[in-house]
């Protein structure tokens, strides 16, 4: 047991899987010599050699295409997108090849795509996006978005061991800011299972990724005002934990859904639709969502702050729902 | 001082007069516009007469039991409120004329018909369903107003508050009295729970929670399926509290509708039931039909295995895409309509010594009422409707018949009648013709029987269908040809293109 940052826990998970299973290998831009743009794979080249830590050209479609092919041949590739934004270059490979292989002819595609995502890092429109909803709309893929060092480690292991293509969204803002005690050794977290990060009785915040931490911050403020907030971290988006959502909504009867991605057709829309369809008679107030606004991520710091959710915006939405 | 007559309205094309069953207001009573003031009965319908304007009933012109022509006054309203008190005194007390006992109870549309021993309960509505349990008043109110709220209340209640109220048997009127702490005085869950605590503590007896109303939750919709190693959370379905009436359950003998039970007085050796207006009309109509037409019944046996398995396979798809249940009735409506087009001689009425072949196929469907009555709504222009159209029309008529929402036009103009003794378990029946029509088609119960197909013994779903006909105008050959054609259409039912979403 040691205190680890999000990025250390993620690297531990990757390293342990590389050691455990010889068919696991990694590929991506600058992941070897340079240790990755964010240094997730620092030291991996020395430890595992150039055959298992593969530096690739700047071509996401090629990276994902090679990953799919090698996965079908029995390998377990972990492909890194330098930034999640660039996955659009490999979109066809993921949507029309990886996601359909099993459906079309029963072939397993056990691969992971790591996607450093998210804003708040002054990265501008091409290095800050949260494109998870594109993939949640694609049957055949799995999508996870851990928020803590423990979840980062447990979910990367589950993703590597899964027989399906898994998109692993790792939030850049969390890499070195979030620390916690992480147990040594092997543990995996089941894909599709949410986690209650803070129990509460009055209003449920259903969220994932970096917004878990802003939601916890908001919950702390609101507790002082007498509003007891439950924070549910979905952790997995496809499949997502309907039972956990039902549980928290039945408990509090009021819900706010929060994500950093932009608003229209974001993942919150799915969660809200599920609540309205299945839990209508458990609602004592309208469900609200807090998201980024429908715009590209601004480069200007004050504009980016305006664009993104923060603890105050989340708290305001919760107050509104609590007062209904 | 304005006086307004309440007049006997025209309740149907061929109706000349009606009889006052009951006055709902006494002279001196205040009456709102469109509020029901009295009940009348005709040989076709029973109906409540609404007040033409707001005012005070000052005089009853036609006491209970009297028969009045169309357009003649039944009572007089005083629309000037100040004149009320004096006027009421001078008005004659309502005559305690003896109205037929049972007629008091049913102010709604009901019609005597000829279906004889056989009826079809709910043509499109759930067959053979026991009467649904009475819903608590709060359901009717609370579920009516979604958001805006109606049924007497303009107040908004959240879905959760409505659900708690329904489950705890709290009436809307009771909710309306609660002070709310939510936005704009809205009653929140906590307000309601607090009130219930208080009520319990105060020793006030709580009305028993009643089942019924909305299902709590549907079985979980799952996200898109993962191909392998599924680790998706299963969303467990909640128990459903909605009583689902048995559907198309022609196979087993259904429960007797409760209204058929006769209340027994202690010590009495017998129970005498005076005929009400409707029973008298039924009796007269039956005797008239039997004495008018020499009845003959032909019978055919039909293999409906294909239809039974088709319905089993697609009833859920159908329910989802069409919004109502797929019963067996539309299959028979469909086959009968096509057979009538081949043999129009059975789709006729007798006018003196003339047979009038009808070009429109208007199918009367005998529907048993839960309180023991019987009504025959008419599915108009069946020849212009496809399978789904027939099914939807039959469902609507059956539903409105059960809820007594039929209007006079719904029960007139029939050219041929279908009845279903099978729904009560009857193998087949010999129904009486609905005059002035010349034929009535009957469906027995569907049973599995041993059949010989290609010299092999098979277990098939079989049904007996009958045609009772007026032998003055329909010859035996026609009746058997007609039945054989119905059989052919049933046994060769082709769903291709009939039902959206199926093939």
């Amino acid at each position: 047991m040691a205190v680890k940052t999000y990025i250390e826990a993620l690297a531990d998970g990757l390293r342990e899987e590389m050691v455990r299973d010889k068919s696991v290998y990694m590929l991506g831009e600058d992941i070897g010599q340079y240790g990755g743009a964010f240094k997730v794979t620092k030291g991996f080249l020395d430890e595992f050699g150039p055959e298992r830590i593969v530096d690739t050209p700047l071509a996401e479609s090629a990276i994902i295409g090679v990953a799919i092919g090698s996965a079908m041949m029995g390998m377990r590739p972990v492909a890194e997108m330098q930034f999640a934004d660039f996955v659009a270059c490999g979109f066809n490979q993921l949507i029309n090849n990886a996601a359909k292989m099993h459906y079309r002819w029963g072939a397993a595609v056990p691969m992971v795509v790591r996607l450093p995502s998210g804003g708040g890092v002054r990265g501008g429109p091409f290095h800050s996006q949260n494109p998870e909803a594109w993939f949640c709309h694609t049957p055949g893929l799995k999508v996870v978005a851990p928020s803590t060092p423990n979840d980062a480690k447990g979910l990367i292991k589950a993703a590597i061991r899964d027989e399906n293509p898994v998109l692993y969204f790792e939030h850049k803002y969390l890499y070195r800011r979030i620390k916690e005690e992480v147990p040594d050794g092997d543990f995996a977290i089941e894909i599709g299972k949410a986690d209650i990060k803070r129990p509460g009785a009055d209003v449920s915040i259903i969220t994932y990724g970096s917004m878990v931490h802003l939601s916890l911050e908001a919950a702390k403020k609101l507790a002082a005002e007498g509003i007891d907030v439950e924070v549910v971290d979905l952790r997995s988006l496809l499949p997502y934990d309907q039972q956990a959502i039902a549980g928290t909504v039945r408990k509090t009867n009021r819900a706010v859904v929060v994500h950093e991605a932009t608003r229209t057709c974001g993942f919150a829309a799915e969660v809200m639709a599920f609540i309205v369809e299945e839990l209508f008679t458990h609602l004592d107030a309208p469900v609200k969502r807090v998201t980024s606004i429908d715009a590209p991520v601004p480069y200007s710091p004050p504009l980016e702050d305006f664009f993104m959710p923060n603890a105050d915006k989340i708290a305001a939405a919760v107050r509104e729902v609590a007062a209904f | 001082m304005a006086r307004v007559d309440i007049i006997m309205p025209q309740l149907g094309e061929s109706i000349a007069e009606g009889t006052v069953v009951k006055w709902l207001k006494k002279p001196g009573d205040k009456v709102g516009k469109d509020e029901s003031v009295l009940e009348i009965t005709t040989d076709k319908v029973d109906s409540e007469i609404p007040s033409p304007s707001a005012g005070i009933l000052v005089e009853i012109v036609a006491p209970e039991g009297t028969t009045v022509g169309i357009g003649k006054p039944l009572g007089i309203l005083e629309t000037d409120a100040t004149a009320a008190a004096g006027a009421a005194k001078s008005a004659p007390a309502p005559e305690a004329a003896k109205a037929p006992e049972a007629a008091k109870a049913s102010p709604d549309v009901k019609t005597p018909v000829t279906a004889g021993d056989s009826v079809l309960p709910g043509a499109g509505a759930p067959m053979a369903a026991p009467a649904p349990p009475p819903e608590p008043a709060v359901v009717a109110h609370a579920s009516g107003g979604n958001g805006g709220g109606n049924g007497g209340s303009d107040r908004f209640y959240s879905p959760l508050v409505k659900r708690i109220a329904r489950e705890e048997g709290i009436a809307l009127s009771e909710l309306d009295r609660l002070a709310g702490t939510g936005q704009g005085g809205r009653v929140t869950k906590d307000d309601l729970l607090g009130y219930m605590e208080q009520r319990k503590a105060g020793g006030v007896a709580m009305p028993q929670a009643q089942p019924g109303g909305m299902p709590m939750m549907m079985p979980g919709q799952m996200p898109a399926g993962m191909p392998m190693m599924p680790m998706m959370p299963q969303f467990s379905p909640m128990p459903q509290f909605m009583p689902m009436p048995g559907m198309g359950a022609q196979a087993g003998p259904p429960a007797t509708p409760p209204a058929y039970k006769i209340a027994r007085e202690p010590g009495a050796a017998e129970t005498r039931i005076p005929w009400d207006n409707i029973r008298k009309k039924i009796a007269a109509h039956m005797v008239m039909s039997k004495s008018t037409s020499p009845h003959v019944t032909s019978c055919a046996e039909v293999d409906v295995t294909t239809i039974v398995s088709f319905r089993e396979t697609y009833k859920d798809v159908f329910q989802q895409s069409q919004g109502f249940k797929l019963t067996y009735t539309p299959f028979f409506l469909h086959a009968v309509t096509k057979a009538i087009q081949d043999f129009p001689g059975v789709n006729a009425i007798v006018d003196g010594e003339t047979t009038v072949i009808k070009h429109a196929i208007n199918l009367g469907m005998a529907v048993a009422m839960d309180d023991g009555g019987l009504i025959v709504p008419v599915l108009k222009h069946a020849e212009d409707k496809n399978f789904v159209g027939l099914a939807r029309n039959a469902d609507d008529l059956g539903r409105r018949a059960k809820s007594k929402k039929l209007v006079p036009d719904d029960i007139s103009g029939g050219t041929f009648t279908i009845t279903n003794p099978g729904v009560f378990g009857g193998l087949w029946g010999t129904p009486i013709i609905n005059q002035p029509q010349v034929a009535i088609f009957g469906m027995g119960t569907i049973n599995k029987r041993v059949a010989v197909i290609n010299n092999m013994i098979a277990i098939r779903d079989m049904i007996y269908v009958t045609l009772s006909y007026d032998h003055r105008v329909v010859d035996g050959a026609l009746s058997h040809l007609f039945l054989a054609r119905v059989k052919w259409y049933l046994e060769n039912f082709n769903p291709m293109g009939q039902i959206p979403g199926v093939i």
Side-chain angles (χ1 to χ4, degrees), chain B residues 154-167:
Chain B
D154 287 336
R155 226 170 162 197
F156 172 85
Y157 296 108
S158 73
L160 177 71
V161 166
K162 285 179 182 174
R163 189 171 63 81
I164 295 171
R166 185 170 58 238
E167 286 171 5

Side-chain angles (χ1 to χ4, degrees), chain A residues 190-207:
Chain A
E190 186 179 338
I191 295 176
K193 281 273 180 284
D195 184 37
I196 295 174
K197 289 288 195 277
R198 181 191 199 279
D202 297 334
V203 178
S204 301
I205 296 179
I206 299 162
T207 185

